[in-house]
Amino acid sequence: GWGLPANQAFPTQLEAVLRARGHSVRLINAGVAGDTTAGGKARLDWALAEKPEIVIVELGANDSMRGVDPKATHANLDNILTRLKSKGVGILLAGMLAPPNLGQEFGREFNSVFPGLARRHNEAFYPFFLDGVAARNTLNQSDGIHPNARGVAVIVDRIAPYVVRLLKSRR
């Protein structure tokens, strides 16, 4: 929800859509603006204190924009997924893609992290969190990177079926 009022952020919009579809859910926004996979890993115990039933792991965009070694991103996400699984938490891993300006080699390595981890951990996987929104001026804030409220609505519309499948699989 960087740059957006709380009522327009991803967790709020997703909760509203899920509730409108008949799911009794309460989403907790455990995101931190500018967070990396290392930050998410460091804060995981704090997030688990809420005893979530499912977690959408959506980290990695800031790793790629900062040129963090994809091996480090992989190790951090692997640790997060392993710890979540050990707590019996349902997981939806949301993938991210590297920006093209970091080169083909970095892109190939980074872009393989998410699908590889989803396969390894046998977890639900949404391939690209910003699908339909990335590089679309009308769906992003003036920085051209962060989705605006309309962009968040597109993300929610596309990811909601994955979340619903995960919710149903946990019942």
Side-chain angles (χ1 to χ4, degrees):
W2 186 87
L4 295 174
N7 68 339
Q8 294 178 359
F10 173 74
T12 306
Q13 286 197 43
L14 180 59
E15 180 177 306
V17 165
L18 294 172
R19 285 178 172 266
R21 294 180 184 177
H23 300 279
S24 178
V25 296
R26 179 178 66 93
L27 271 72
I28 299 164
N29 186 353
V32 173
D35 211 3
T36 62
T37 58
K41 180 178 123 180
R43 291 183 305 97
L44 187 58
D45 289 337
W46 169 82
L48 287 171
E50 294 284 336
K51 303 211 182 304
E53 292 181 36
I54 69 168
V55 171
I56 300 171
V57 177
E58 191 276 304
L59 291 162
N62 291 311
D63 289 43
S64 69
M65 291 191 315
R66 294 176 186 178
V68 171
D69 184 340
K71 289 175 185 62
T73 299
H74 182 280
N76 291 330
L77 288 170
D78 188 45
N79 179 278
I80 290 168
L81 296 174
T82 298
R83 289 165 61 195
L84 289 171
K85 284 177 75 169
S86 76
K87 301 288 185 186
V89 176
I91 302 166
L92 173 59
L93 178 60
M96 191 53 62
L97 297 174
N101 64 316
L102 294 173
Q104 289 182 345
E105 184 178 333
F106 181 91
R108 269 191 306 276
E109 192 173 350
F110 183 87
N111 294 348
S112 71
V113 166
F114 298 88
L117 285 169
R119 281 190 305 274
R120 178 170 180 233
H121 287 272
N122 194 31
E123 296 298 341
F125 179 55
Y126 183 70
F128 182 41
F129 185 73
L130 296 172
D131 184 42
V133 175
R136 296 198 178 180
N137 292 337
T138 60
L139 298 177
N140 286 284
Q141 296 176 45
S142 60
D143 66 2
I145 297 170
H146 294 92
N148 59 29
R150 287 189 319 256
V152 171
V154 169
I155 294 167
V156 166
D157 185 56
R158 291 177 181 223
I159 202 170
Y162 292 77
V163 176
V164 168
R165 274 195 296 276
L166 183 56
L167 286 169
K168 288 180 177 179
S169 75
R170 304 286 296 174
R171 294 195 173 120

